[in-house]
Amino acid sequence: MAFSEHPRFVVIGGGKMGEAIVGGLIGADEGAAATLSASDFTVADPGEERRAHLAAQFGVECIADGSEAQGTDVVILAVKPQVMMDVLAGISAVAAYQGGERGPLFISIAAGLPTSALEAALPAGSRLVRVMPNTLIKSGNGYSAACVNPNIDEEDKKLITAVLNALDQTMYVTEDMFETFTAFCCTGLIWLYKTVEALVDAGVYAGFSRMESRNMVIKNMLGVAQVLDNTGAYPAKQVDDMTSPGGVTIEALQVLQQKGFAGTLMSSVDAAVKKANSIH
């Protein structure tokens, strides 16, 4: 979805995630579609080196304090949860700005801070969305989650979806599933990275060079993802199609089953979900 007009953004926090969001929205990352221009952004970060880096990288205006920003349509809160309340207390001028009849739309990417806590620190009636961006932003893949408060209307949702879809795909979830999404989807990359790592090592053990093994594993991973994404096929069906009686594939599968591969993976996911939901 393209932006029908160019809203004015203030990004508070110029760390890695703030940088990824700006890069994704202005199409500065490889594979990203240009949707907005550098002139649509102001980035606030207290670090002089970070400001210099972001200004050089993207050509955006950079300021030291978010309270210096004025006249914005969207405020992206990309700071750590432990400093969020201090940040919100310091941007009262931005929060109170009235662009037409309403103040800015607030987008928070702070993990573990519920909507109620953020609403309590913002002016009454503020439009707020909690977002959990996926770290696969630079690849143009992955899902980001969005959870909106009751003040968000359909026009706001169009803008939110345009912002998130410029980064990757959007999934709207209820707040009670927000931390679970974080654990399963955003943390979920670790299970794939570790699988690739183990397979590369297995290839080296089998006699291939590390580079040869890495190349084969990555292409296999990409190919499997494309087949499942393009066909909608269920993984178990694909596995069944690959196995023949007494063959090599069923031998490999038998060991995975014997060692509890699926059960271990599910237990690891369950542990991550429980941990995510325990952090408040």
Side-chain angles (χ1 to χ4, degrees), residues 80-110:
K80 294 179 179 178
Q82 56 265 37
V83 302
M84 178 66 83
M85 294 303 125
D86 289 338
V87 167
L88 292 180
I91 61 168
S92 56
V94 177
Y97 164 72
Q98 295 296 307
E101 298 179 356
R102 302 189 295 180
L105 168 67
F106 290 91
I107 299 177
S108 168
I109 65 168

Side-chain angles (χ1 to χ4, degrees), residues 130-265:
R130 287 185 68 194
V131 170
M132 180 49 63
N134 197 302
T135 55
L136 289 174
I137 284 173
K138 290 186 177 182
S139 74
N141 289 295
Y143 269 97
S144 290
C147 172
V148 302
N149 77 347
N151 300 321
I152 297 292
D153 59 24
E154 288 305 313
E155 284 303 309
D156 293 328
K157 266 196 170 184
K158 290 179 183 178
L159 175 58
I160 294 164
T161 301
V163 169
L164 296 183
N165 282 355
L167 306 176
D168 44 45
Q169 292 77 43
T170 306
M171 182 177 291
Y172 284 91
V173 299
T174 54
E175 186 146 34
D176 63 319
M177 288 297 293
F178 197 84
E179 309 306 338
T180 299
F181 176 95
T182 301
F184 180 67
C185 188
C186 297
T187 302
L189 308 185
I190 187 176
W191 296 299
L192 300 177
Y193 281 130
K194 293 301 290 184
T195 298
V196 169
E197 179 186 7
L199 286 172
V200 170
D201 285 344
V204 174
Y205 187 75
F208 296 105
S209 72
R210 185 158 294 276
M211 184 58 67
E212 289 171 336
S213 181
R214 176 187 181 277
N215 290 345
M216 285 186 284
V217 171
I218 288 175
K219 287 301 183 180
N220 275 352
M221 182 72 79
L222 286 169
V224 165
Q226 288 173 349
V227 167
L228 295 177
D229 192 37
N230 293 339
T231 67
Y234 193 66
K237 175 64 167 58
Q238 299 299 107
V239 172
D240 188 54
D241 288 345
M242 288 180 63
T243 54
S244 56
V248 173
T249 304
I250 194 64
E251 187 75 15
L253 183 59
Q254 187 270 340
V255 175
L256 287 180
Q257 302 285 45
Q258 186 182 63
K259 298 296 184 180
F261 175 79
T264 300
L265 196 57

Side-chain angles (χ1 to χ4, degrees), residues 2-7 35-36 73 159:
F3 291 95
S4 57
E5 53 188 49
H6 281 207
T35 54
L36 296 166
D73 301 300
L159 175 58

